[in-house]
Amino acid sequence: MEFDAVVIGGGPCGATTAMDLARNGWTVALLDKAGRIKPCGGAIPPRCVRDFDIPDAQLVAKIDTARMISPKGAHVDIPIENGYVGMVDREHFDEFLRVRAAEAGATRLTGTYLKVEREGGDTFVSYRPKEAGAEPVRLKTRLVIGADGARSNVAKQEIPDGGDITYVIAYHEIIKAPANHDEAPKYNAGRCDVVYNGAISPDFYGWVFPHGENASVGMGTGIKGFDLKVATAQLRADSGLTHCETIRTEGAPIPLKPMKRWDNGKDVLVAGDAAGVVAPSSGEGIYYAMCCGRRAAEAGHMALAKNNGRYLRLARRRFMREHGMVFRVLGRMQDTWYRSDDRRERFVTLCNDIDVQRLTFEAYMHKQLVFAKPIAHLRIFAKNCLHLARLIPAS
């Protein structure tokens, strides 16, 4: 089989890339493993719904409050003004995106990527179909786009320093949500709980995110040897959710820093988690993966149309122009506030500030830093300095 482009990985990034390329008239193969569900809280902001035409039926819940919980159990409830945070279940959401890509004209293939091969100036993607005992298949292509996750085999094989990526390991349990308040008084089906506690995660955070009839309970950490399942069991106990039925469990690496290079300058480009595109501090990935997929499709379209692999560099350039500042700010925030329980306690205290709440959620909802309120920024900067100097109490 022969295609203009082969997209490896059918998550939000890969499916978006395949859909956009197919809509531009290119022949596209979308290669994906069947049955793999990424651990994910499932939150998407209204901008994601708007920019990528996500139907309301895909939202299993709409969240109107975020609760930040400190190591000592203090909490701050932050109302989400003028909107909501939508929640999706990746089991169904990712498949919806793959189906939409196929409807746009992409050819879906199921199997395991093996390698990129080159012969006589031609490029081939080798993969093993899912069927038991199947022999490897080769696809002739002009362009390979790797959207195959944080430890991307495409990146390792084809991109300089592609195996060097910073990540945390995320683990979560999808559970049956409590039927009523009496069954689990701490659980609220309209609220996301974010837990900053070194016992749950020594360098990231834990979460309890409603998914309609279900809920996602999990955490992430980059500390080797830390027992994720024990920490998640503790999180469920602290949240009064130990008794809830466990439907499935999932774990995977989550990158926290974009790679410095995403392409080989010829015929290979990586995107999404494979390029390190997950927001530091928050761990938000779905929206940024889909944005990255769109930029990858634009760069791929240019490279194919001009028959010049140098256009592949546009994917990273355009993405970082749009989101690089947000990633840098969130990275500094994580480095500053997640390093100890004392810092986490102070961070939750800061979240009680109305200026912090408004600017944070305006930035989250609209996906850009808000600079229109300089006085508020000065007040936040001053409070940060006072907390870091331990000149004001943490609660």
Side-chain angles (χ1 to χ4, degrees), residues 4 6 20 23 27 42-43 56 144-145 174 178 189 191 200 206 241 261 283-284 326 330 359 369 394:
D4 293 314
V6 175
D20 284 4
R23 285 178 175 176
T27 57
D56 200 64
V144 180
I145 297 181
I174 296 293
R191 186 187 71 217
I200 301 300
L241 301 172
R261 184 168 179 178
E284 183 189 359
V326 172
L330 290 176
L359 292 177
L369 297 178

Side-chain angles (χ1 to χ4, degrees), residues 324-336:
M325 179 62 75
V326 172
F327 275 47
R328 286 190 289 274
V329 170
L330 290 176
R332 292 191 186 102
M333 189 176 85
Q334 179 175 337
D335 291 343
T336 299

Side-chain angles (χ1 to χ4, degrees), residues 68-76 194-197 344-345 348-349:
M68 323 298 277
I69 303 173
S70 78
K72 294 181 180 179
H75 67 261
V76 174
V194 184
V195 181
Y196 298 98
N197 186 332
R344 296 184 189 99
E345 199 76 37
V348 173
T349 301

Side-chain angles (χ1 to χ4, degrees), residues 141-175:
T141 186
R142 297 172 58 198
L143 173 64
V144 180
I145 297 181
D148 53 334
R151 291 190 284 216
S152 164
N153 286 323
V154 177
K156 290 176 185 176
Q157 295 170 6
E158 297 293 326
I159 306 299
D161 299 321
D164 184 16
I165 192 166
T166 302
Y167 61 85
V168 300
I169 299 296
Y171 172 81
H172 80 157
E173 299 175 357
I174 296 293
I175 65 171

Side-chain angles (χ1 to χ4, degrees), residues 26 51 80 99 124 127 132 182 222 224 241 262 311 317 324 334 367 373:
W26 302 106
D51 287 0
I80 300 171
V99 168
F124 299 87
Y127 80 98
D182 292 337
K224 292 183 178 180
L241 301 172
W262 296 2
Y311 284 96
R317 185 179 300 169
Q334 179 175 337
K367 292 304 167 202
K373 301 175 181 178

Side-chain angles (χ1 to χ4, degrees), residues 357-378:
Q357 293 180 17
R358 286 177 176 169
L359 292 177
T360 297
F361 273 94
E362 283 183 29
Y364 174 79
M365 304 291 266
H366 303 296
K367 292 304 167 202
Q368 58 187 11
L369 297 178
V370 181
F371 297 109
K373 301 175 181 178
I375 299 301
H377 282 279
L378 287 173

Side-chain angles (χ1 to χ4, degrees), residues 8-302:
I8 300 163
C13 177
T16 301
T17 305
M19 178 185 69
D20 284 4
L21 282 171
R23 285 178 175 176
N24 275 317
W26 302 106
T27 57
V28 182
L30 177 60
L31 174 64
D32 187 61
K33 290 182 179 180
R36 181 186 179 280
I37 308 169
K38 181 182 175 181
C40 178
I44 60 173
R47 181 166 177 182
C48 185
V49 173
R50 181 180 70 249
D51 287 0
F52 296 97
D53 299 319
I54 306 302
D56 200 64
Q58 283 298 316
L59 303 182
V60 295
K62 293 182 178 180
I63 303 302
D64 59 19
T65 306
R67 171 169 287 187
M68 323 298 277
I69 303 173
S70 78
K72 294 181 180 179
H75 67 261
V76 174
D77 286 352
I78 304 176
I80 300 171
E81 299 178 352
N82 304 316
Y84 62 89
V85 174
M87 308 300 295
V88 298
D89 188 320
R90 292 291 297 273
E91 179 180 13
H92 306 294
F93 181 69
D94 288 17
E95 177 62 12
F96 158 76
L97 295 175
R98 289 189 287 266
V99 168
R100 191 164 68 171
E103 291 172 347
T107 299
R108 289 185 63 177
L109 301 172
T110 303
T112 302
Y113 163 80
L114 298 175
K115 58 184 175 179
V116 174
E117 301 173 290
R118 296 175 181 86
E119 295 178 5
D122 294 326
T123 301
F124 299 87
V125 169
S126 177
Y127 80 98
R128 188 179 300 280
K130 182 185 178 184
E131 294 77 14
E135 293 296 319
V137 173
R138 292 210 310 175
L139 308 174
K140 185 178 179 181
T141 186
R142 297 172 58 198
L143 173 64
V144 180
I145 297 181
D148 53 334
R151 291 190 284 216
S152 164
N153 286 323
V154 177
K156 290 176 185 176
Q157 295 170 6
E158 297 293 326
I159 306 299
D161 299 321
D164 184 16
I165 192 166
T166 302
Y167 61 85
V168 300
I169 299 296
Y171 172 81
H172 80 157
E173 299 175 357
I174 296 293
I175 65 171
K176 190 72 175 176
N180 52 60
H181 179 74
D182 292 337
E183 183 182 340
K186 294 182 180 180
Y187 180 80
N188 186 324
R191 186 187 71 217
C192 285
D193 291 355
V194 184
V195 181
Y196 298 98
N197 186 332
I200 301 300
S201 172
D203 56 335
F204 206 54
Y205 65 82
W207 68 82
V208 178
F209 286 179
H211 282 189
E213 295 181 354
N214 302 328
S216 166
V217 184
M219 49 75 66
T221 181
I223 305 299
K224 292 183 178 180
F226 191 84
D227 197 318
L228 286 77
K229 293 184 178 180
V230 169
T232 302
Q234 183 62 52
L235 177 58
R236 286 181 65 168
D238 293 346
S239 305
L241 301 172
T242 299
H243 65 284
C244 295
E245 176 190 355
T246 301
I247 297 172
R248 66 178 193 262
T249 64
E250 293 141 8
I254 307 294
L256 291 179
K257 188 175 182 180
M259 286 172 33
K260 293 182 179 180
R261 184 168 179 178
W262 296 2
D263 70 279
N264 68 351
K266 298 180 294 183
D267 56 2
V268 177
L269 171 67
V270 294
D273 282 14
V277 176
V278 174
S281 180
S282 68
E284 183 189 359
I286 296 176
Y287 171 76
Y288 292 113
M290 296 179 77
C291 286
C292 190
R294 181 143 290 170
R295 298 296 166 256
E298 292 171 354
H301 171 73
M302 291 293 293

